[in-house]
């Protein structure tokens, strides 16, 4: 079966997100590491702690970005595991945005992001998309 155009768009977005995420995570890691070492050498615990959080955040971002590259490859190659990973990722994003809404943080951004995650989930569950990934109709 032919690859749906929406899948190509999702694969490209995952590829771009993965590349930009790796770049930003590496920069975050670099500056967080410098801040941690500098704060430690200067004896400033507040600065060291904040920088250490930057390092942890950068590592999580790096792992997420690498996973994004993997999903991009899988979507391009029409692998059914990529469909499943894309669905799981969008559900996680949706839960994150719902949590932000409940906490009253960034209401407009959260609503827009939740809508985008919902649209992507809706698209991934379309019969022609599931068929392209060889996902059985009963796999909902």
């Amino acid at each position: 079966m032919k690859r749906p155009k929406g899948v190509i768009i999702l694969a490209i977005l995952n590829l771009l997100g993965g590349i930009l995420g790796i770049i930003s995570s590496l920069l975050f890691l670099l500056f967080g590491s410098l801040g941690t070492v500098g704060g430690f050498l200067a004896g400033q615990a507040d600065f060291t702690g904040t920088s250490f959080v930057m390092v942890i955040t950068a590592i999580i971002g790096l792992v997420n970005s690498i996973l994004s590259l993997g999903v991009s490859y899988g979507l391009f190659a029409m692998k059914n595991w990529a469909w499943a990973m894309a669905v799981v990722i969008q559900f996680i994003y949706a839960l994150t945005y719902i949590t932000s809404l409940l906490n009253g943080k960034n209401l407009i951004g959260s609503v827009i992001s939740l809508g985008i995650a919902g649209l992507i989930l809706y698209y991934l569950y379309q019969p022609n998309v599931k068929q392209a990934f060889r996902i059985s109709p009963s796999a909902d």
Side-chain angles (χ1 to χ4, degrees), residues 76-100:
F76 273 123
M78 298 301 294
K79 303 289 187 183
N80 57 5
W81 57 261
W83 178 88
M85 282 186 70
V87 167
V88 168
I89 289 168
Q90 292 308 313
F91 271 117
I92 291 170
Y93 285 159
L95 290 174
T96 302
Y97 303 136
I98 289 169
T99 303
S100 292

Side-chain angles (χ1 to χ4, degrees), residues 1 19 23 29 57 69 73 76 81 85 103 121 130 137:
M1 177 174 203
I19 291 169
I23 292 168
L29 186 62
T57 303
L69 291 178
Y73 161 76
F76 273 123
W81 57 261
M85 282 186 70
N103 288 329
L121 282 168
K130 288 176 70 176

Side-chain angles (χ1 to χ4, degrees), residues 75-139:
L75 291 173
F76 273 123
M78 298 301 294
K79 303 289 187 183
N80 57 5
W81 57 261
W83 178 88
M85 282 186 70
V87 167
V88 168
I89 289 168
Q90 292 308 313
F91 271 117
I92 291 170
Y93 285 159
L95 290 174
T96 302
Y97 303 136
I98 289 169
T99 303
S100 292
L101 282 172
L102 294 175
N103 288 329
K105 296 181 180 173
N106 190 13
L107 295 178
I108 294 172
S110 295
V111 168
I112 291 169
S113 299
L114 182 59
I116 291 170
L119 285 173
I120 292 171
L121 282 168
Y122 175 78
Y123 174 75
L124 289 170
Y125 273 95
Q126 292 305 297
N128 66 318
V129 175
K130 288 176 70 176
Q131 183 181 7
F133 282 99
R134 298 174 307 281
I135 305 295
S136 67
S138 62

Side-chain angles (χ1 to χ4, degrees), residues 17-18 20-26 28 54-68:
L20 293 175
I22 287 173
I23 292 168
S24 64
S25 293
L26 290 176
F28 221 60
M54 283 178 65
V55 170
I56 298 301
T57 303
I59 292 170
I60 292 169
L62 194 57
V63 169
N64 186 39
S65 298
I66 292 168
L67 287 174
S68 240

